[in-house]
Amino acid sequence: MEKLKCLVPESIKRMVGESSHEDLASTSSTLLHCLLNLPQFQQMIDDLADSNNSLCGKNKKVALELKQKGNESYLTAEYASALESYSQALRVAPMDAVDMDKNLVATLFLNRASLFHKIGFLTESLRDCKRAIQISPTYAKAWYRRGKANVDLGNFKDAVNDFNNAKSLELSLDGKRHIETELNIILERQKSTSKMAVQENDNCFGHFDEPHQLKLSQVSTPDKGRGMASQCDIAQASLVHKEEPYALIILKSCRETHCHYCLNQLRADTVPCTSCTIPLYCSEHCQVQAGGEPFSNFQDKIGTNESHSHSHGEYKFAVCSDSNPIECFPEHKHECLGVNWPAILPSDIVLAGRILVKSTSQRCSTKSNALCDLGLSHSYTQITPESKLELHVYAIVLLCCLQHSFGFELPINGVSLSQTIILISQIRVNAMAIVRMKSVDDPPDQFRKLTSVGDALTSSLEQVPVGQAIYKAASLFNHSCLPNIHAYFLSRTLFIRTTENVSTGCPLELSYGPQVGQSDCEDRLRYLADKYSFRCQCRGCSQLNLSDLVLNAFCCVNHNCAGVVLESTIINGETHKLNNFPRAPEKQKFDSHLQGQKLNIVDLNDVAGLALKFNNSSLHIHPGFCLHCGSHRDLDASHEAINKAWSYIKRLQEAIISKDITGTTLLDASRALGILRSTLHAYNKSVAEAEDNLAQAFCLVRDFQSAREHCKESIKILQTLYGPDHIVIGYELVKLASIQLSLDDPAAVDSTNHLGLIFARYFGPHVDFIVPYQQFLKRVGHR
């Protein structure tokens, strides 16, 4: 794409860079005519959209090679390798391919089912057998293998049915006798056991029903425009919004680890797309919802007769179930043509393609002339000339790919291109990052039972982005660096919940990324301006708060003073807050307001008492001088000491990654921590990071007592920066509680209870669906 942009004449680049959204029809039309005359552009569109050049199509030869490799690994007990080979073979095998008079895909599902049975993945084995039967209803071995899995799961009634079907389909007399023998054994076991049957569940969406009848108001303010506010007093942890995505896309980095439809972590028995090799799904349900065909549509006709096809036709797949009445739009169908552009273009551009196709299909039932009218804000006028050119090029490429590969019924001209440019701009401003909670100690799910992984010494949780989506109604919630609502996701569904009590008429605001405690004011302002093209004026960025003062501060050279010493970059962001800070007699009133921020565990007077005593005249703050007592610190010498100390912390971080912790590395890092603590403020976030690194390192060398103390110190700092009940503290308490468990420390109960209160505040009853958290609670209960 960069090479293509270099071919654009400077005059057109300048015209595009200076354009406003009113000029888009003209600028995009001019660039389109320029690119259409370039052979390089035509070649690029052919490479992206011509199925003859596809790298994403099915390939029987490759599938057979992978099948053979999987068989060899299975025979040598290399089960992880066998699973990888069978799954990759399923991904590339054409649905109509035949191998040894059997449907190749059905055979691969059966081979993987046998592997799963061997290693104890009984439910996965059951599901793969079902898939093989859907494709080849007369496949006797698939019925037999399914019966074996049902026996081990205690599903004897189903097992009897499976073995009867296998016996009727088996051609050899020896095979029939063998099945008959096993069937008699099962019937005897069924009489003598009361084991509860285990039912296979293919629904990855769960039941998330929770009534929320709270009415919200759409409001408009001069500084933030449209927003949402409460119409009544709302209690903490109340659900205020729930929404399905208008359109969604998985991030490229998660294509091999998460389902391309529901975005949950992939199961071991991954389900491929039936027509291309790009997506993987966690179930047939997700595969069909995304636009694929049910496996039953590919029923193998080899050796099939009417009696068998009718007697075993119980496995019809329902596209939409009553238990999951969400909007069904086949979002992958137009990409599922063996073409390359859905795999190569950036995720937000592919998402734009999904929105265009969906909105075009909806236009057929409406009289709207707009290509895609989402009614969302955009920031085209504020972005850089380079970004404007990028949007123009991607809009042209996307429409050409859609028209070339999908037969998109839309003329490519200035009007359609201008609407597409605005759409991409809207996506970049309004798309929400979908995150999943992950236990960073867990191996990938499909290898959890295949590798020698013992119980983790410690546990930790983190949020990782897995996709992005447009939620039209949720886009109305404005940003605050001190949010009072929290967004989270279960499968594709967005939930927004209050994290504190909200009074009538109060704006409901979530964080678009940066929060107080995470980064200082200047960094937050810069991030929001760069990504969303607005200057934040929330209370965290306009009113004095302790976190922004101490987060990157130095300590006072006077050991008896808790004051902060700031450098010039921090002063620039804090001076206007300090100048606006009320002095007596207004201070008492303002102090009561600050208490509502829940950030002032340490009194502001302790760190900036001198600054707060000034009268209302303009305040001048100088770098290097303590805001409490006025003492001076040599910032150049301090930076030199910090840089040297941090080099030892970085070595420790590298050792943690490689799990090669030496005594020398630990000793050097511990000394470096002492230098950091004598130079940086006690609540500087870098000190917390160093404490956390040492906690991790001591865990790896099994010195849990030292790990516990360093973890506690890190949490103490973070509680001051974020507040005692922030979700970040919850994640840190997982670490602390797991260390305490390793020491049989009874305080683990208190840490776990505090953690539970925080998670209930942020997730409400849905905390039961946070799998990594539930796994941690099981570990607590086990101990």
Side-chain angles (χ1 to χ4, degrees):
M1 202 64 68
E2 291 301 320
K3 292 181 179 179
L4 188 62
K5 287 192 285 187
C6 290
L7 297 175
V8 178
E10 289 298 324
S11 59
I12 297 180
K13 286 183 180 179
R14 187 163 50 252
M15 177 184 64
V16 169
E18 296 173 354
S19 63
S20 65
H21 66 276
E22 290 90 356
D23 308 321
L24 288 178
S26 173
T27 56
S28 59
S29 179
T30 300
L31 182 59
L32 173 64
H33 290 304
C34 171
L35 294 179
L36 289 176
N37 290 322
L38 295 176
Q40 297 93 328
F41 176 76
Q42 297 292 349
Q43 182 60 54
M44 183 182 71
I45 297 301
D46 286 342
D47 291 340
L48 290 172
D50 192 333
S51 59
N52 293 323
N53 299 322
S54 174
L55 300 175
C56 306
K58 301 289 189 175
N59 190 313
K60 178 181 177 180
K61 180 181 178 181
V62 174
L64 289 172
E65 292 172 353
L66 287 166
K67 175 194 169 190
Q68 180 61 30
K69 182 180 177 181
N71 291 344
E72 292 170 358
S73 297
Y74 182 89
L75 292 174
T76 57
E78 298 175 81
Y79 298 133
S81 176
L83 175 57
E84 176 71 14
S85 296
Y86 288 145
S87 296
Q88 287 299 320
L90 281 164
R91 197 170 189 176
V92 301
M95 290 301 299
D96 59 354
V98 176
D99 178 43
M100 300 176 64
D101 294 331
K102 292 292 182 183
N103 180 283
L104 176 58
V105 176
T107 301
L108 288 167
F109 274 128
L110 181 59
N111 285 8
R112 197 171 69 173
S114 299
L115 169 64
F116 283 140
H117 201 158
K118 179 74 174 179
I119 61 177
F121 280 47
L122 299 178
T123 303
E124 289 82 353
S125 179
L126 196 69
R127 288 195 293 254
D128 268 357
C129 288
K130 173 184 173 181
R131 293 158 189 155
I133 292 169
Q134 285 178 319
I135 298 168
S136 294
T138 60
Y139 201 169
K141 286 185 178 180
W143 286 102
Y144 175 77
R145 174 59 60 191
R146 202 181 105 119
K148 297 282 283 184
N150 270 320
V151 167
D152 289 344
L153 286 168
N155 303 331
F156 293 111
K157 182 177 179 180
D158 291 339
V160 169
N161 180 65
D162 293 337
F163 274 103
N164 280 326
N165 285 330
K167 186 176 71 172
S168 68
L169 293 168
E170 175 59 43
L171 298 180
S172 69
L173 291 176
D174 286 343
K176 287 180 180 290
R177 281 194 290 266
H178 175 75
I179 295 172
E180 181 68 30
T181 300
E182 290 209 36
L183 185 57
N184 291 331
I185 295 173
I186 294 169
L187 291 171
E188 289 300 318
R189 286 185 61 185
Q190 185 179 9
K191 295 176 184 178
S192 62
T193 185
S194 59
K195 181 178 178 181
M196 182 71 68
V198 178
Q199 297 299 319
E200 180 263 326
N201 180 14
D202 202 31
N203 179 16
C204 62
F205 291 90
H207 299 284
F208 308 140
D209 291 339
E210 179 185 356
H212 66 106
Q213 301 177 357
L214 299 172
K215 292 185 178 181
L216 307 181
S217 300
Q218 182 175 322
V219 297
S220 181
T221 58
D223 55 337
K224 293 189 176 183
R226 294 185 302 175
M228 300 300 290
S230 60
Q231 287 190 3
C232 59
D233 291 346
I234 303 177
Q236 176 182 288
S238 297
L239 181 65
V240 296
H241 187 68
K242 175 183 176 182
E243 186 178 357
E244 299 297 331
Y246 182 82
L248 172 149
I249 191 75
I250 193 170
L251 297 183
K252 284 188 176 183
S253 59
C254 299
R255 285 179 176 175
E256 304 299 314
T257 58
H258 289 74
C259 175
H260 286 225
Y261 184 76
C262 72
L263 300 187
N264 289 333
Q265 188 172 0
L266 285 170
R267 299 165 172 170
D269 56 321
T270 55
V271 176
C273 175
T274 55
S275 301
C276 74
T277 62
I278 298 175
L280 290 171
Y281 302 102
C282 65
S283 64
E284 295 99 311
H285 177 84
C286 286
Q287 187 262 136
V288 174
Q289 292 282 61
E293 292 190 61
F295 290 130
S296 57
N297 287 5
F298 298 92
Q299 281 195 7
D300 182 18
K301 299 299 187 287
I302 300 174
T304 301
N305 57 54
E306 286 298 314
S307 62
H308 281 147
S309 63
H310 285 293
S311 62
H312 307 301
E314 57 182 316
Y315 294 95
K316 297 295 183 182
F317 188 81
V319 177
C320 294
S321 64
D322 292 336
S323 62
N324 186 40
I326 63 174
E327 180 183 4
C328 298
F329 175 74
E331 59 192 14
H332 174 62
K333 191 169 185 179
H334 65 279
E335 305 161 357
C336 192
L337 301 166
V339 292
N340 295 325
W341 68 266
I344 293 176
L345 294 181
S347 296
D348 59 345
I349 306 303
V350 181
L351 179 60
R354 293 186 171 189
I355 293 174
L356 287 172
V357 173
K358 180 174 183 175
S359 62
T360 301
S361 66
Q362 291 175 338
R363 281 199 307 158
C364 296
S365 58
T366 66
K367 297 182 179 180
S368 173
N369 293 321
L371 172 61
C372 184
D373 185 12
L374 296 181
L376 303 177
S377 61
H378 66 85
S379 58
Y380 179 82
T381 305
Q382 289 81 29
I383 63 177
T384 64
E386 293 78 11
S387 296
K388 290 179 179 179
L389 178 61
E390 180 181 78
L391 291 183
H392 276 68
V393 172
Y394 275 130
I396 293 171
V397 170
L398 176 62
L399 289 187
C400 287
C401 287
L402 287 171
Q403 190 178 75
H404 193 289
S405 62
F406 186 59
F408 196 50
E409 297 180 359
L410 183 75
I412 304 177
N413 53 35
V415 175
S416 60
L417 285 170
S418 64
Q419 293 176 338
T420 304
I421 291 169
I422 292 300
L423 170 61
I424 299 172
S425 182
Q426 289 174 328
I427 289 172
R428 293 186 173 181
V429 170
N430 294 279
M432 297 186 72
I434 298 177
V435 297
R436 290 286 183 267
M437 192 179 294
K438 175 186 177 184
S439 175
V440 297
D441 308 297
D442 283 345
D445 181 72
Q446 58 263 46
F447 299 113
R448 188 167 291 133
K449 294 183 182 178
L450 304 186
T451 54
S452 300
V453 178
D455 291 337
L457 299 178
T458 59
S459 300
S460 59
L461 301 180
E462 65 178 5
Q463 297 240 41
V464 294
V466 296
Q468 61 179 149
I470 291 293
Y471 295 89
K472 294 173 65 176
S475 67
L476 294 173
F477 290 95
N478 283 322
H479 164 82
S480 174
C481 297
L482 285 171
N484 56 9
I485 56 176
H486 171 66
Y488 61 96
F489 305 86
L490 297 177
S491 293
R492 298 163 61 94
T493 309
L494 165 70
F495 296 87
I496 297 180
R497 195 175 293 277
T498 55
T499 57
E500 60 187 62
N501 295 325
V502 180
S503 58
T504 303
C506 181
L508 293 166
E509 297 174 326
L510 50 78
S511 171
Y512 289 3
Q515 296 188 39
V516 170
Q518 179 182 356
S519 54
D520 63 43
C521 184
E522 282 298 294
D523 285 342
R524 297 197 305 270
L525 292 173
R526 188 180 307 109
Y527 173 88
L528 293 167
D530 290 345
K531 187 169 179 64
Y532 299 104
S533 301
F534 71 86
R535 181 174 178 84
C536 185
Q537 300 181 49
C538 74
R539 57 193 174 112
C541 294
S542 60
Q543 298 175 4
L544 193 66
N545 66 75
L546 177 69
S547 181
D548 283 347
L549 283 176
V550 301
L551 189 138
N552 288 317
F554 293 89
C555 64
C556 181
V557 293
N558 181 354
H559 297 303
N560 296 321
C561 176
V564 295
V565 177
L566 305 180
E567 50 188 334
S568 58
T569 55
I570 308 300
I571 288 175
N572 293 336
E574 296 302 313
T575 299
H576 75 284
K577 295 184 187 179
L578 286 166
N579 279 327
N580 292 331
F581 187 84
R583 277 72 183 179
E586 298 173 314
K587 185 177 182 301
Q588 183 177 3
K589 178 180 178 181
F590 196 77
D591 280 344
S592 64
H593 169 74
L594 284 174
Q595 291 174 6
Q597 294 188 16
K598 301 181 181 179
L599 290 172
N600 298 279
I601 298 175
V602 179
D603 192 348
L604 281 164
N605 281 300
D606 292 339
V607 298
L610 183 63
L612 302 183
K613 290 176 183 177
F614 278 91
N615 58 29
N616 286 326
S617 61
S618 180
L619 174 66
H620 298 284
I621 305 174
H622 298 286
F625 288 90
C626 176
L627 292 186
H628 187 69
C629 71
S631 300
H632 179 261
R633 169 178 284 279
D634 186 338
L635 292 182
D636 290 337
S638 298
H639 275 295
E640 184 178 348
I642 293 302
N643 290 337
K644 183 176 180 180
W646 200 252
S647 67
Y648 292 108
I649 301 297
K650 287 183 177 179
R651 291 181 191 175
L652 180 66
Q653 292 171 344
E654 294 169 356
I656 291 171
I657 294 172
S658 63
K659 291 183 171 56
D660 183 20
I661 312 291
T662 65
T664 301
T665 304
L666 267 175
L667 182 60
D668 288 343
S670 298
R671 290 171 177 168
L673 175 62
I675 295 173
L676 293 177
R677 280 199 168 276
S678 65
T679 310
L680 300 175
H681 194 273
Y683 297 108
N684 186 301
K685 196 171 186 178
S686 293
V687 178
E689 183 180 352
E691 293 278 11
D692 182 64
N693 291 153
L694 280 162
Q696 294 180 57
F698 278 116
C699 281
L700 288 174
V701 299
R702 305 183 71 85
D703 182 353
F704 297 117
Q705 290 185 343
S706 297
R708 177 180 57 189
E709 299 314 308
H710 284 291
C711 189
K712 285 181 177 179
E713 289 300 314
S714 176
I715 291 174
K716 180 181 177 181
I717 297 171
L718 294 176
Q719 284 181 320
T720 300
L721 297 177
Y722 286 98
D725 299 318
H726 194 278
I727 187 65
V728 168
I729 306 304
Y731 297 147
E732 296 303 310
L733 285 171
V734 170
K735 299 178 187 178
L736 177 60
S738 63
I739 295 171
Q740 292 168 329
L741 285 170
S742 298
L743 290 167
D744 292 324
D745 184 348
V749 175
D750 294 333
S751 298
T752 303
N753 289 340
H754 187 187
L755 165 65
L757 291 174
I758 292 174
F759 273 44
R761 172 183 178 182
Y762 279 80
F763 301 104
H766 292 156
V767 71
D768 293 337
F769 293 97
I770 309 299
V771 175
Y773 173 62
Q774 293 303 319
Q775 291 172 340
F776 170 74
L777 290 184
K778 286 182 180 179
R779 185 183 172 206
V780 174
H782 176 70
R783 290 296 183 95

